[in-house]
Amino acid sequence: MGHIFKKHILLLLMLAPVLVLGQNVIQGKVSDSGNGDLLPGVNVVVKGTTTGTTTDFDGNYELSVSSLPVTLVFSSIGFKSIEILVSSAGTVNVTLDEGLMLQEVIILGNRSKPRTVIGSPVPIDNIGVAELKNTGQPTVDKMLTYKVPSFNSSTQAVSDGTAHFDPADLRGLGPSRTLVLVNGKRKNLSSLVYINDTPGKGEVGVDLKSVPSAAIERIEVLRDGASAQYGSDAIAGVINMVLKRNVEYTTVGASSGITTEGDGFNFAADVNSSINLGEDGGYLNLTLGYYKQEKTNRAGTPGEDTLFGVPANDPDWGTWLAANPDLGMNVGQPELKKIDMFFNAGVPFKNGNGEFYTFGGLTYRQGTSFALYRTPYWIPDPFNLLHAPGTTYQGFQPTFETDVRDNNATVGVKWKLFTMDVDLSGTYGRNAVDYDVSNSINVDLGANSPTTFDVGAYTFSNTLANLDFSKDLGTVSIAFGAEIRGERFTAMAGEPASYFGAGTQSFPGLQPSNAVEATRENFGLYGELEWEPTDRILLGGAVRYEDFSDFGDNTSWKVNGRYLLGDNQGAIRASYSTGFRAPALHQIYLSNIQTLVSGGTISNQGTFNNVDPIIRDGLGVPQLTAETSKNITAGFTYKPIENLSFAVDFYNVKIDDRVLFTNEIGFDGDDTTNNPVEEILLANDITSLKFFINAVNTNTTGVDVVASYSNIAMGNGNLGVNIAANFNNTKIEGEIKTPAILASNGYQMFNRKEQARITKVRPKSKVLLGLDYAIEKWNFILNNTYFGEVSWDHGSDPQKDQVFAGKVITDLILGYDFSQKISANIAINNLLNVYPDELDPKGDVVTDLGGRFRYPWEVNQFGYAGTIINAGITLKF
């Protein structure tokens, strides 16, 4: 009863009347001086402050100020700004002339009013779609990698489902700790847990490949803890993808490319267009996209197999090794086909007092990646299942095939209620992946074995309802609201042939005992307050309470401040916040059997879920609970002249009780007795086990640097220079919290390799230098991205550790405008054909799996495709 009563009291407080201070109200319309069209989205800001608003779909604005006179600055991308002195309250209509791009304004991080990037109290990047596409990269996750220095994502190979999702994160804090929004609404997580030896192992992230760049107007990246504002997952920051609305032209784009090695062919095509809905400024924006890529292969060519002890001159297999020096491997990007359909719509009310809106999309993706090649001396095929009768058996390489569906939709309404802005919305998001293994066999089925197996499927979905209130009171702005969220995770068993006996080669299917349908609900309340006692000073705070049905509640809070320098020329800013991340349902309930290569042997490893009595009672593993964090950010922005700006921000993020995936826990080598772990292994016919646990505390410190100098006159053209950098360091603090039963039997949960996966697998430094020169119809872009060194630590022997040196990747993009409606470009990514340092096994055959891997596969800085050349064309009509 007390729990329910507490919720009711909080709801009553949230909906209590708000006293509105007396204000001077200025209102009017903003239109285009050229054609008289009303302009939505125009920024209206009180000069010298960050107090302001934006025009609605009909070009209307309304702004309350505490005193008069004031100077209002009207600005919008593509138009010249204008300043107007307003001495009395009333109607002020304005027209804007076309001009150059103006200072960017962001909404993320503040629900009550827009803020400029320079004047924001927290660091935020505002990246337009043109900037994203000027990286020359094919998908949003890769575009952000080459645009935001603290963001990392790289292609994975030979890692089951992970090869089709590519873990991505901010500040090296793991995929789970970055919250992703679409139009300010929470995006659903993917259904996949990264359980392979890759960055982000054991974590869950958003499928960033599921939002096409053609549908995006801009991306806002909040580089600060924001759990108090947005809830779970926002420990490292927030990425908000803002979709296009009422665009002027229908845009059709097509591109194609290939690596200089002759593989990795890709083709992309997309169309984006808008439809006017009525005469009141309503719109419907539609995006269709298609993308295809073929595999790349950068396998090693050892010519012998030290993993299985087969030398090049082996009397039985020497001929096969000579014909297959790469041991049959495919190591590189997977094959991929993707179709996207997205929409974004809004219809204003007839009285101009609000709007109905809806947006969402569907992505369908098919992928094929590759497992370890089963050589003929590893897995025999006496039943001629994988080769024609009368031919010599050559072994086989299983393929890991995925069908990914990601769909989300939001429906909402915004309106005025007692002078307050109200936003009520509902959101549904779902990610599902079905797995097949082909070109494989189940040896235990003999001649009856299929060669293609349905090995199981995962789905994750969430359903949200949000109610948000906000009000700009001049020097004070407030926001508060509530969220109810339901989540559902399912795991479905594969066909019986996939898990019979030892199971399918490469990935034994999910068994009925692994099948699960888990749900939970959570309820959240938040409040925000900002106060500007003077034109220069801003003080703000936020608090959020969330209650989860499966592990309890959490309260997070945040305070920030900002002091403007000069006439909005810069600011000194700082924030302190607490945060949290709820363990994903996947991490609580996932269980499976996975093929493991260790010490030159192939065996099956079991993952036990956190509610399994075997783990909870047998090993004393506690219930998973929320991670908590403390985040400090402090820095400054400065804009000495119109086109030159700087931002430097220092940060420290402490995370307690990180939810992590243990290393393999197996037999202790003593055959005379069986300890509790070994009893579990023998009872389940596996050689090692893993599980999820809150066990590690980390401390991350770093600095972000951003500098931009645009419109530098050079000859007959203009040059733009952008420099951005991130430097960070993560360390583990305190003791790892190993359950007593494991500790007393001498087991480690996180060995040297797993600890390094937290602290060393992402670059500790990353620097971007971009040069953009436009002259007449030509545009020349030269991007240089430095990926700092990364390290791989051996599980037990420091002598086998390896450091992979930092590298610079150079991209060249050439663009030409045939007319205002036809343009073309050529992008040469990795112009200098740079590859990571090669693996040095140092006597450990597992490090490179007997030479099968030439380049690092557990600590991948930027992939290893080499130079890629793409050409594209864009048509507008």
Side-chain angles (χ1 to χ4, degrees), residues 107-109 111 179-187 218 220 229-230 238-243 357 359 410 414 423 425 427 464 466 468 483:
I107 303 297
L108 187 63
R111 290 180 170 90
L179 175 64
V180 178
L181 311 174
V182 177
N183 281 357
K185 308 299 181 181
R186 179 181 286 264
K187 180 78 173 72
R218 68 181 190 278
E220 300 173 341
Q229 296 157 290
Y230 297 103
V238 182
I239 296 174
N240 183 32
M241 301 185 184
V242 182
L243 302 180
Y357 64 89
F359 59 86
T410 294
K414 297 178 181 180
D423 185 350
S425 66
T427 298
L464 297 87
N466 292 92
D468 302 298
E483 177 180 275

Side-chain angles (χ1 to χ4, degrees), residues 156 159 161-168 174-176 190-208 586-587 590 594 661 692 757 762:
Q156 305 301 315
S159 54
T162 306
H164 302 276
F165 286 84
D166 298 343
S176 299
S190 81
S191 56
L192 178 76
V193 179
Y194 308 124
I195 59 175
N196 291 80
D197 288 340
T198 65
K201 180 180 178 180
E203 300 203 32
V204 183
V206 170
D207 181 7
L208 291 177
H586 324 39
Q587 294 174 313
L590 178 77
Q594 188 180 15
F661 197 32
F692 291 89
R757 202 183 307 280
R762 293 297 198 191

Side-chain angles (χ1 to χ4, degrees), residues 32-35 76-81 95-100 248:
D32 184 341
S33 64
N35 53 29
S76 180
I77 293 175
F79 292 87
K80 295 179 181 178
S81 62
T95 59
L96 297 183
D97 297 327
E98 291 188 4
L100 299 173
E248 182 179 0

